[in-house]
Amino acid sequence: MGLLSFIKEAGEKLFGSGQAQAAQAAADADKAAAANAAAGRAIEDYITKMNLKVDGLKVDFDGASSAVTVSGVAPDQETHDKVLLCCGNVAGVGQVNDQLSVAAPKDESKYYTVVKGDTLSKIAKEYYGNANAYMQIFEANKPMLTHPDKIYPGQMLRIPPKATA
């Protein structure tokens, strides 16, 4: 549990229209609460679309601080990490307050923020000493990543512990 920082301008555009987008600009308290709730539901829907199962999943968005708070019980560390990435890799989200617990915890992953010129091979070389281990990073970030070449600056990736042979 803790607080993760993300690049607010990078990520999935879930708040493109309607009430969810208004969460960041709403001045009226009632309108802001409704917009924040809509944004939280949009992120929950995105997590569900990624087929990540979390018991008691609850996502709250605060447009004033661009912060998401996520809670519930993830079945394993991998699901936990992917849910955090789903919450943070959304345009308009600057930080994620991790209130998730893990039913079967194991070694935690590291996180890496993509910069211009990065490839999964380059990142794998840095973390594992082997550029050909890029598929381990790709697999660790599915279904958010759909192709190893489709990463973008500002995106945060999960770097799992090095696989043992």
Side-chain angles (χ1 to χ4, degrees):
M1 290 192 199
L3 192 64
L4 291 172
S5 294
F6 288 81
I7 296 176
K8 184 176 155 183
E9 293 79 24
E12 295 289 329
K13 307 236 182 313
L14 300 182
F15 307 159
S17 62
Q19 285 186 311
Q21 184 181 29
Q24 294 176 309
D28 179 274
D30 289 338
K31 288 181 182 174
N36 285 338
R41 283 191 304 275
I43 295 170
E44 281 184 24
D45 290 346
Y46 178 60
I47 292 166
T48 301
K49 180 180 170 189
M50 294 295 116
N51 203 28
L52 299 170
K53 310 283 189 234
V54 175
D55 289 336
L57 177 65
K58 184 168 185 343
V59 177
D60 293 315
F61 179 73
D62 178 18
S65 64
S66 301
V68 169
T69 300
V70 61
S71 59
V73 180
D76 52 47
Q77 192 67 44
E78 181 178 353
T79 301
H80 167 272
D81 296 347
K82 287 181 178 184
V83 168
L84 294 181
L85 293 176
C86 279
C87 292
N89 284 328
V90 170
V93 174
Q95 59 187 14
V96 175
N97 183 12
D98 173 15
Q99 298 296 317
L100 286 171
S101 59
V102 180
K106 66 176 190 178
D107 290 341
E108 290 190 26
S109 299
K110 294 178 177 144
Y111 296 100
Y112 177 81
T113 302
V114 176
V115 296
K116 186 175 181 176
D118 273 345
T119 64
L120 290 185
S121 293
K122 181 179 173 185
I123 298 166
K125 176 76 171 162
E126 179 180 333
Y127 280 89
Y128 305 137
N130 179 359
N132 291 328
Y134 74 93
M135 283 304 289
Q136 185 177 348
I137 298 171
F138 175 68
E139 291 296 328
N141 288 278
K142 284 172 68 177
M144 289 83 63
L145 291 183
T146 58
H147 191 279
D149 294 332
K150 292 188 177 183
I151 60 173
Y152 54 85
Q155 181 179 30
M156 191 177 292
L157 299 174
R158 176 178 177 261
I159 310 297
K162 186 175 181 178
T164 54

